[in-house]
């Protein structure tokens, strides 16, 4: 079974802190994604990566950056956390056979609270 | 921007009944996918239907796609309490697109 793991289930940070959210997948997938999920807004794509060291902006990249140094690991970085970044963050991966158009496998999510 | 819009936003049924959720979208698609999310957890992929398909089955799930109406429906037959979850449709548009665009979801409650 594909497994996508995220470094924390719950995280509490202070405004202005630099925050790292880590995601690891064990199925040698080419594509990895970061979403945030907010009540009434559904899932919104922040960034994705289709190869090591490659990244593409999603719908809401402002205030975030990403890093993909190894194929299995995709990190989301909040350079200076703000209260409006309090949210559930979901990582996902998919294989490259269909150009990223097939099913995505999700991690359990990290619920981040910024005080 | 949101592509899919699920309807209804919330649905409550008795165990054993069928549950139908609808999804409408705005632009042409390559495929449409349905996902389930149990409370506070990650999403699980249920089924994918391509733009040239009209109907697909998987166990107790039946998905239809009407590209002329830009809509899809997810039917869960003989529902169980364990089906209680939020259900999302997601669309992929454009050749070479990596992006899944999710709707806001339907919250299904199945009462034992």
């Amino acid at each position: 079974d594909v497994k996508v793991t995220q470094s924390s289930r719950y995280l509490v940070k202070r405004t202005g802190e630099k925050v790292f959210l880590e995601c690891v997948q064990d199925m040698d997938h080419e594509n990895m994604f970061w979403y945030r999920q907010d009540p009434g807004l559904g899932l919104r794509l922040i960034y994705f990566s289709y190869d090591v060291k490659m990244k593409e902006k999603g719908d809401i990249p402002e205030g975030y950056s990403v890093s993909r140094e190894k194929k299995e690991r995709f990190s989301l970085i909040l350079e200076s956390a703000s209260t409006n970044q309090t949210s559930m963050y979901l990582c996902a991966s998919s294989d490259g056979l269909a150009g990223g158009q097939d099913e995505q496998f999700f991690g359990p999510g990290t619920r981040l609270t910024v005080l | 921007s949101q592509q899919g819009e699920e309807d209804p936003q919330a649905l409550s049924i008795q165990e054993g009944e069928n549950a139908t959720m609808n999804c409408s979208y705005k632009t042409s698609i390559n495929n449409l996918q349905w996902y389930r999310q149990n409370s506070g957890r990650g999403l699980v992929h249920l089924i994918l239907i391509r733009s040239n398909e009209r109907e697909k089955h998987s166990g107790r799930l039946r998905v239809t796609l009407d590209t002329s109406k830009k809509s899809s429906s997810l039917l869960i037959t003989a529902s169980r309490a364990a089906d209680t979850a939020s259900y999302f449709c997601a669309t992929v548009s454009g050749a070479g697109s990596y992006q899944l665009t999710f709707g806001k979801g339907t919250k299904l409650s199945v009462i034992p």
Side-chain angles (χ1 to χ4, degrees):
Chain A
D1 279 355
V2 174
K3 195 158 185 187
V4 180
T5 56
Q6 295 183 229
S7 50
S8 306
R9 288 286 286 128
Y10 299 94
L11 207 53
V12 179
K13 295 292 181 180
R14 298 226 171 259
T15 301
E17 279 192 78
K18 191 168 185 175
V19 182
F20 293 86
L21 301 182
E22 306 283 341
C23 175
V24 177
Q25 51 93 5
D26 67 358
M27 279 302 290
D28 202 36
H29 281 172
E30 276 73 21
N31 310 310
M32 297 188 75
F33 307 82
W34 275 107
Y35 296 88
R36 65 178 282 176
Q37 183 178 24
D38 301 287
L41 296 177
L43 276 81
R44 294 178 291 167
L45 182 65
I46 305 171
Y47 267 97
F48 68 96
S49 167
Y50 54 88
D51 201 352
V52 175
K53 296 192 186 294
M54 305 304 290
K55 60 185 179 184
E56 293 284 343
K57 293 179 180 178
D59 295 323
I60 51 165
E62 297 77 19
Y64 303 94
S65 62
V66 290
S67 173
R68 190 151 180 220
E69 296 296 319
K70 293 185 177 181
K71 191 175 185 181
E72 68 271 17
R73 189 180 297 269
F74 192 34
S75 302
L76 179 69
I77 303 153
L78 285 65
E79 297 290 343
S80 177
S82 63
T83 55
N84 63 14
Q85 292 178 310
T86 291
S87 186
M88 169 75 105
Y89 289 87
L90 292 161
C91 175
S93 72
S94 69
D95 69 33
L97 293 175
Q101 300 203 353
D102 272 348
E103 66 175 296
Q104 292 185 12
F105 296 85
F106 282 80
T110 295
R111 191 167 291 281
L112 173 68
T113 302
V114 183
L115 303 175
Chain B
S1 60
Q2 298 293 355
Q3 165 78 307
E5 290 287 338
E6 289 90 344
D7 168 55
Q9 290 185 340
L11 180 61
S12 184
I13 59 173
Q14 296 287 331
E15 202 166 28
E17 293 180 340
N18 295 342
T20 299
M21 288 159 269
N22 303 297
C23 170
S24 59
Y25 56 91
K26 295 173 186 165
T27 62
S28 62
I29 60 170
N30 286 354
N31 71 59
L32 185 146
Q33 303 176 32
W34 285 91
Y35 288 80
R36 182 187 75 225
Q37 184 180 34
N38 291 92
S39 179
R41 308 296 295 183
L43 279 72
V44 175
H45 182 266
L46 295 176
I47 199 163
L48 180 154
I49 187 164
R50 302 192 189 280
S51 59
N52 60 353
E53 297 175 311
R54 292 296 166 258
E55 190 170 310
K56 212 159 180 185
H57 296 256
S58 176
R60 294 183 296 112
L61 306 180
R62 173 181 168 245
V63 168
T64 62
L65 179 64
D66 187 335
T67 52
S68 66
K69 294 181 179 177
K70 293 187 170 60
S71 68
S72 173
S73 67
L74 170 67
L75 168 68
I76 304 174
T77 59
S79 63
R80 304 167 181 168
D83 295 327
T84 294
S86 291
Y87 292 82
F88 296 87
C89 68
T91 55
V92 177
S93 303
S97 172
Y98 290 86
Q99 188 162 340
L100 275 179
T101 305
F102 285 84
K104 296 176 185 178
T106 292
K107 194 166 186 176
L108 173 66
S109 298
V110 181
I111 303 163

